[in-house]
Every structure is written in structure tokens, then in C-alpha cells.
Amino acid sequence: MLMQQENFKPDRSPLPELIEQFHASLLQRGRSSNTARVYTSDIKLFAQFIETHQFKKMQDAAEAWLTESKKTLASRTVLRRAASLNSFTKFAELEVCLEDYKLPPTPPPDPHPLPGMMEDVEKMLAVSRNPYQRGLVAFGGLAGLRVSESISVKPDWINLHDRKLRVHGKGDKTRVVPISKRLWSVMMPLYVSAKADNSVLIPFEDRNARQLITGIALRAGIKDVSSHDLRATFATLLLRRGVDIRTIQYLLGHASVSTTQAYLGVDNKKAREAVEFDED
């Protein structure tokens, strides 16, 4: 059994108690119940791992656990376990640093449009608890903005005369997207509130905003929703309306059309019709 007690602060609790305290701290810091549950589950697995191995340092234990994880688990799971470890060791004041540990590359997003498409976006808008949450959902589902873009929008980015929004995207690239009537109905009170000092319309931090989107979707009865899924819904709706993929690429702010293709949902009915040739 490991436990390099020199790695623990003298007044710290035993590991099982620390894990429970860690779970409580995640909730207190505003993490979703699902995130708290998953992170805590990861750390319990880590605790089981170190119970059956001998390590002189917690750093060695952490790296060995991640190395074992890489042998059998998907990259996303390994990356999440690393995030769980980072969060826990910081909370417990353990001497662990994974900056130099070679983690698998972050896989590209695997977005899927919401099953109910625009109806689900409206459900999320309806259960949002304040104008900021509604704005967050609307920017993603009605304009295809990234979370980082949504929480950066300022009043002077908005052209009221032409009803257009200047978006500052990845790589310092700027694009201009039209503001629909529905989007403006959600944006308008945020615009009025932020206009006095040209502050951001949605004052959320990136990580919190992403968690909020998942939580709002759950309240609307939709599971496993990410910010990318809102963008995928927007893109797929455009495709179904006959918008060409280059225009969709521009509106999403993608550098490559191949990235845009990954955001487009496949219409199963149309796919079936495409392969059913008449034999007459």
C-alpha cells in the first residue's frame, strides 16, 4: 500500500475522507453533480490502484495509473482521469504535477445535433434560469457560436441597423453573422444591460458555461448535450434548408470544410432514399 505520508499535509485526513471532502468541494465550487460524481469515481479508482502497488512518491503513482489507463481506455477517458487527478491533488495539496507527462492528444469534438433539433433548443431556452443562460443557449443554437465566442460578445460588436454580429473567433479571425429575429429577442435585454459600460453580454467563465449548457439540457429532458451539439444543431438546420456547406463553414468559423462536415448530422430518411434506386 502506498501512502507517502510525507506528501500529505500533517493536518490532512486519510485518503478515503479526503475523497469525500473532495466531492463536497466540487459541488461547493459550482461543479455539476455529474462532474463531481465522475471525478470522485476516478479518484476512488486511483485509490484502489495505489492500494495494490508500492510507490515512493504520489507523482509516480499518478503517472503509473495514467500509463495503465492508456493501455485499455479511450483518449477522452484518460484525459478526464488526468483532469480528475489534477483537481484532486490540487485540492488535497499533494505534490503532483502532470505538465510533463505525455497525455494522449485531445480528440476532435464529436458533435451531434439535438434529437429534437430546434424544438429542443426552444426547450432549453424555456428552462434556462436567467437571461444569461438563455443567451448562452441562443448564441450556440441560433447562431452557431462557440462558448468562448458567446461569453466574449460585447455591445459594440452588434450592428443594430443591419442586425449583424461581429464575432471574434479562433486564431484572431473575425466573421460577421446575421442576427435572426428569434436570437435578437433573447439578446436584446442582454444588450441593453451591457451597453452602458460595453461589458460582455454573458458574464460566465468558459468551463462554467459549458457545464451550464449540459445542465440546462438535462432540465429540458435531453441527456449528454455539449456546446458543440448546439453548434451541430444550428449547422444541420442550415443544411436541411439547402444552405451550401461553404456558407455553413463561414458561419461556424471553421478553417476547414472537413471540420464543418463533422458537425453536420446525417438525415437517416434521406440516406435511405438516396440508396433506394428504382429498378424499372
Side-chain angles (χ1 to χ4, degrees), residues 32 212 238:
S32 70
L212 280 170
L238 294 181

Short mmCIF file of all heavy atoms in Angstrom, two decimals, residues 32 212 238:
data_model
loop_
_atom_site.label_atom_id
_atom_site.label_comp_id
_atom_site.label_asym_id
_atom_site.label_seq_id
_atom_site.Cartn_x
_atom_site.Cartn_y
_atom_site.Cartn_z
N SER A 32 -21.06 20.62 -11.64
CA SER A 32 -22.32 19.90 -11.72
C SER A 32 -22.23 18.62 -10.90
O SER A 32 -21.14 18.10 -10.62
CB SER A 32 -22.63 19.55 -13.18
OG SER A 32 -21.73 18.57 -13.67
N LEU A 212 -22.98 24.61 -17.66
CA LEU A 212 -24.34 25.13 -17.64
C LEU A 212 -25.15 24.58 -18.81
O LEU A 212 -26.32 24.21 -18.64
CB LEU A 212 -24.33 26.66 -17.67
CG LEU A 212 -24.06 27.36 -16.34
CD1 LEU A 212 -23.84 28.84 -16.58
CD2 LEU A 212 -25.22 27.14 -15.37
N LEU A 238 -29.28 24.46 -41.04
CA LEU A 238 -28.93 25.21 -42.25
C LEU A 238 -28.81 24.27 -43.45
O LEU A 238 -29.30 24.58 -44.54
CB LEU A 238 -27.61 25.95 -42.04
CG LEU A 238 -27.59 27.08 -41.01
CD1 LEU A 238 -26.20 27.72 -40.96
CD2 LEU A 238 -28.65 28.13 -41.31
#
